[in-house]
Amino acid sequence: HMSSQTLKGSNLTTVRGINERLILHLIREQGELTKADTTRLTGLSPNAISVIFRALEEDNLLLRGQPIRGRIGQPSVPMRLNPNARYYLGFKIGRRTFELALVNFTGTILAEAKDTHKYPTPENTLEFVTKSLPSLLLTAGKSPEQISAFNVAMPFELWSWSADFDAPEHEMAAWRDFDLKSQLSQRTQWPVTVHNDGNAACRAELIFGPPVEARDFIYFFVGAFIGGGIVLNGAVFPGRSGNAGGFGPMRVPDNNGADRLVDHASLVVLEHLVAQRDQGLAASLYAEGFDWSLVEPELTVWLTRAGRSLAYAVISALAVIDFEAVMVDGGFPADICKRLVREVQTHLATLDKQGVVCPEIKAGHFNYRAGVLGAAAYQISTEFMIDQNTLLQRSPDALIKK
């Protein structure tokens, strides 16, 4: 009987060596590094660094920058990631939107397709993919052989919240027994993965966003529902069920009618407020390019409510782990995101914070595109970065033998 905490290695010879990953990870974080910088940062020998740099360059993962001429000795050459090293397809299934994007190794979207819907069903999901894929590849000018993977980000248990976003229960129930991964694998030629949408959005921020000083932070994503992710030791921590940072059920005190975060800090709440005045307007809320001034005064009312509820959620989360930063992003334009962040800060200033140290609250950088970018980035995080959290993982056998 194995212990439930087992250090795991990998027998795959194709898996990047830990030092190679470390160097790719650091270059991704810093933008570019010379051999001397890397030697200093990693503590590896100059010789080891030279060998790894050469291997990564031969594998087309790194590109040389302009030599920096110093006063003595050889000019040093900064290396950066090759944006065209890999291409990935990211697909986000939202409660109100579909989004498919072809993304390169450094997070640039080369082509994308979007659609809004009343609710996602297995049927309209597959239909969207089949319809959008050919033109997407054409626009990006990529052949199917150039794509490394097809990665999906979606809410887990789509069926369990149908009433909250006005979806017919019997249609949503179809998701229960639907094997999306195998259905997509049958229709496409790439390896398919399926992950939680909140974790994906969090991953986009971590991998493609500007460098974050914090090693541990909370990330909220305000979409039709509220979700998010948790970063521990500089990597997304999915938790045992892949649902860590699913903040929806978090309890929020003293609110009229409902005590869950999802009942206040979700766009579906704003949508319902607007629908009382104008149903067509409420439905257009999820279309990118929508003019948000059209949903005043409801928007201000909702921002106050969402900001207050998020402030409580921040304090609750800080009581569990002393996170060094909090990020808030969502399916709205950057200026709305900034307003929401200000609301959270305002409410935090007035709440009792005894026993917790409140970190800085910042706006995320990807808004609408966080989910689809994070979906695409899955392989980058697992194959080309260091994740200290996975070094200590339960082995599947240990869970089965309990």
Side-chain angles (χ1 to χ4, degrees):
H1 180 93
M2 291 165 71
S3 81
S4 65
Q5 287 291 341
T6 315
L7 276 167
K8 286 219 302 272
S10 172
N11 299 316
L12 290 172
T13 47
T14 54
V15 172
R16 295 258 149 222
I18 198 146
N19 291 337
E20 289 191 341
R21 281 176 180 236
L22 178 61
I23 287 168
L24 286 167
H25 192 117
L26 290 168
I27 292 175
R28 187 175 290 279
E29 273 182 358
Q30 307 286 327
E32 54 175 34
L33 287 174
T34 63
K35 288 178 187 170
D37 296 331
T38 315
T39 305
R40 202 176 55 247
L41 282 168
T42 59
L44 294 170
S45 72
N47 183 44
I49 295 288
S50 286
V51 170
I52 294 170
F53 268 46
R54 198 174 313 123
L56 293 173
E57 197 181 359
E58 278 169 14
D59 284 354
N60 210 20
L61 291 162
L62 292 183
L63 297 175
R64 288 166 179 255
Q66 289 300 313
I68 304 164
R69 305 195 180 278
R71 272 166 294 201
I72 320 165
Q74 289 287 319
S76 58
V77 179
M79 301 295 274
R80 62 180 195 279
L81 296 177
N82 176 6
N84 306 317
R86 298 283 186 279
Y87 302 105
Y88 304 101
L89 283 163
F91 177 34
K92 177 183 172 272
I93 300 173
R95 292 189 171 81
R96 295 282 189 252
T97 54
F98 288 134
E99 199 170 341
L100 187 64
L102 203 154
V103 178
N104 73 9
F105 199 51
T106 48
T108 302
I109 293 179
L110 305 181
E112 59 187 330
K114 289 203 263 306
D115 210 357
T116 55
H117 49 72
K118 283 198 166 73
Y119 49 88
T121 62
E123 199 179 353
N124 67 15
T125 301
L126 293 174
E127 202 176 304
F128 173 79
V129 173
T130 324
K131 188 186 71 192
S132 318
L133 259 179
S135 55
L136 195 79
L137 291 170
L138 204 62
T139 307
K142 299 290 168 241
S143 69
E145 292 68 45
Q146 289 172 283
I147 311 294
S148 295
F150 187 108
N151 302 322
V152 185
M154 67 182 290
F156 283 173
E157 297 202 6
L158 258 173
W159 59 87
S160 65
W161 308 74
S162 18
D164 294 280
F165 68 112
D166 320 311
E169 209 140 306
H170 62 281
E171 287 207 51
M172 296 311 286
W175 283 104
R176 274 180 193 273
D177 312 310
F178 179 67
D179 186 344
L180 180 66
K181 188 175 166 171
S182 88
Q183 289 297 323
L184 286 173
S185 300
Q186 285 166 35
R187 285 168 173 75
T188 63
Q189 62 189 76
W190 309 288
V192 175
T193 60
V194 180
H195 307 276
N196 175 272
D197 56 338
N199 279 191
C202 181
R203 193 183 307 121
E205 187 63 52
L206 190 67
I207 295 175
F208 297 138
V212 185
E213 288 297 300
R215 304 299 291 159
D216 305 317
F217 66 87
I218 313 169
Y219 174 90
F220 291 104
F221 189 85
V222 182
F225 279 20
I226 178 122
I230 287 171
V231 171
L232 292 178
N233 306 312
V236 175
F237 180 78
R240 204 152 122 196
S241 61
N243 220 358
F247 293 106
M250 220 169 196
R251 292 306 185 252
V252 178
D254 318 324
N255 267 317
N256 293 336
D259 60 357
R260 302 172 305 172
L261 183 61
V262 67
D263 301 313
H264 306 284
S266 298
L267 287 177
V268 94
V269 176
L270 173 60
E271 185 193 334
H272 289 152
L273 289 173
V274 175
Q276 292 167 15
R277 171 166 64 92
D278 182 334
Q279 284 194 309
L281 201 55
S284 5
L285 197 61
Y286 299 95
E288 203 175 334
F290 175 72
D291 175 1
W292 284 66
S293 66
L294 297 173
V295 290
E296 291 290 13
E298 293 89 354
L299 177 58
T300 299
V301 171
W302 175 77
L303 282 169
T304 306
R305 184 170 161 188
R308 176 182 180 279
S309 307
L310 280 165
Y312 273 116
V314 166
I315 290 176
S316 299
L318 289 171
V320 183
I321 290 176
D322 50 347
F323 293 101
E324 302 160 275
V326 176
M327 283 204 162
V328 179
D329 209 343
F332 31 57
D335 59 316
I336 303 292
C337 194
K338 289 194 179 74
R339 280 181 67 184
L340 181 56
V341 166
R342 279 201 299 276
E343 283 292 337
V344 178
Q345 287 164 334
T346 305
H347 287 286
L348 270 172
T350 65
L351 292 177
D352 173 9
K353 292 179 287 294
Q354 195 172 351
V356 301
V357 177
C358 251
E360 204 183 339
I361 315 284
K362 303 173 187 170
H365 295 87
F366 296 111
N367 310 129
Y368 296 97
R369 293 192 171 62
V372 78
L373 274 169
Y378 179 73
Q379 260 70 20
I380 293 177
S381 64
T382 53
E383 291 175 30
F384 302 103
M385 295 182 80
I386 295 274
D387 182 349
Q388 289 171 297
N389 303 322
T390 57
L391 289 173
L392 259 178
Q393 262 188 355
R394 288 162 185 259
S395 75
D397 323 335
L399 292 175
I400 296 159
K401 288 181 192 161
K402 285 258 156 58

